[in-house]
Amino acid sequence: MSPTRRSLQFKQLQKLNFQVHEAPCYIKDQEKLLFVEWGPPTGVNGSHDWHYILDLKSNNLTKVQTTPPTWNIHGCVYRDGKLHVVTDGGPDETAYLATIDPKTWERTTILNNYYERPFMSFNDLEIDNEGNYYMTDSLSGWGRDLNPYGQPTKPTLYFVNATTMRAKELWYLEGNTNGVSLSPDGSTLYMADTGASEVKPSRRNEQGERDLWAFDIPTSSKTGQRLPVLTNRRLLARSIQYFYDGVRVSRNGWIFGAGGEVVDVLDPESGEKRSQIN
Ligand SMILES: *[C@@H]1O[C@H](CO)[C@@H](O)[C@H](O)[C@H]1NC(C)=O
Ligand SMILES: *[C@@H]1O[C@H](CO)[C@@H](O)[C@H](O)[C@H]1NC(C)=O
Ligand SMILES: *[C@@H]1O[C@H](CO)[C@@H](O)[C@H](O)[C@H]1NC(C)=O
């Protein structure tokens, strides 16, 4: 993997009034992009249902809503013709994992509790090559008083086996969970701790966590299959500007971390910054 120097060219396609920064999901076969806008700062009463679909061929931007209506989508992965989303929940539902059909905009809820315990508010998800889910449950919705209950857990990373639909807690953080992503072969997991952005009251803590952790996902000594366990945690990088909100990995393994107003491109082994997009 040798870094190649290339200058990227950017073009602004649309100008929206508010914060456009949740759940970008490229629907390759339709050449469309789903993304979520908060609406006015922090949404309306802490909630938002401003989902847009942008046709990249015509630059046609359309606000969409699902059946039944979906609120507070914060993470999205497109796979096998479906948008797989996680939400903060609200207004009458606790946080859940769901699929959305991008042709009919029908939403199907897949999981909305952990052995009857509600999730707090999901921030992001990743799907491995077998279709299993890795989902970060964060303090953010609790900070906006979306739920009538307190904090059921610390910010937690959940695993859901797509074959058995069995869920498991994989890890928890002292700061806050946020972006999560996997290496292309699925053997390394990257997860951001964004405790530097405190949620109640909402404020920046310069001493707070802005870490990008890497973990190995081991395989069973008996079956050779991947295990729902994380090992060998290491501090791969700390965000240079604020914290890594979204984290994604390119096909050849580079880690893209969205920190503050820049995107850092990191080496997956050394965690060193190779370039910055701003
Ligand atoms: C926001 O909350 C206020 C106070 O509870 C309420 O009056 C208002 O209708 C809410 N707005 C929306 C869009 O739900
Ligand atoms: C834009 O897309 C929407 C949703 O697909 C469609 O209803 C509308 O007709 C499109 N507008 C144009 C100008 O193509
Ligand atoms: C998911 O469950 C299937 C069926 O029990 C098992 O074969 C597979 O190893 C599990 N995957 C993980 C990552 O735990």
Side-chain angles (χ1 to χ4, degrees), residues 44-47 71 91:
V44 178
N45 293 347
S47 280
W71 287 76

Side-chain angles (χ1 to χ4, degrees), residues 195-198 203-210 238 242:
S197 168
E198 293 180 354
R203 65 177 173 205
R204 284 186 184 214
N205 175 356
E206 301 303 336
Q207 304 299 318
E209 293 84 354
R210 48 190 180 76
R238 303 196 82 209
Y242 208 14

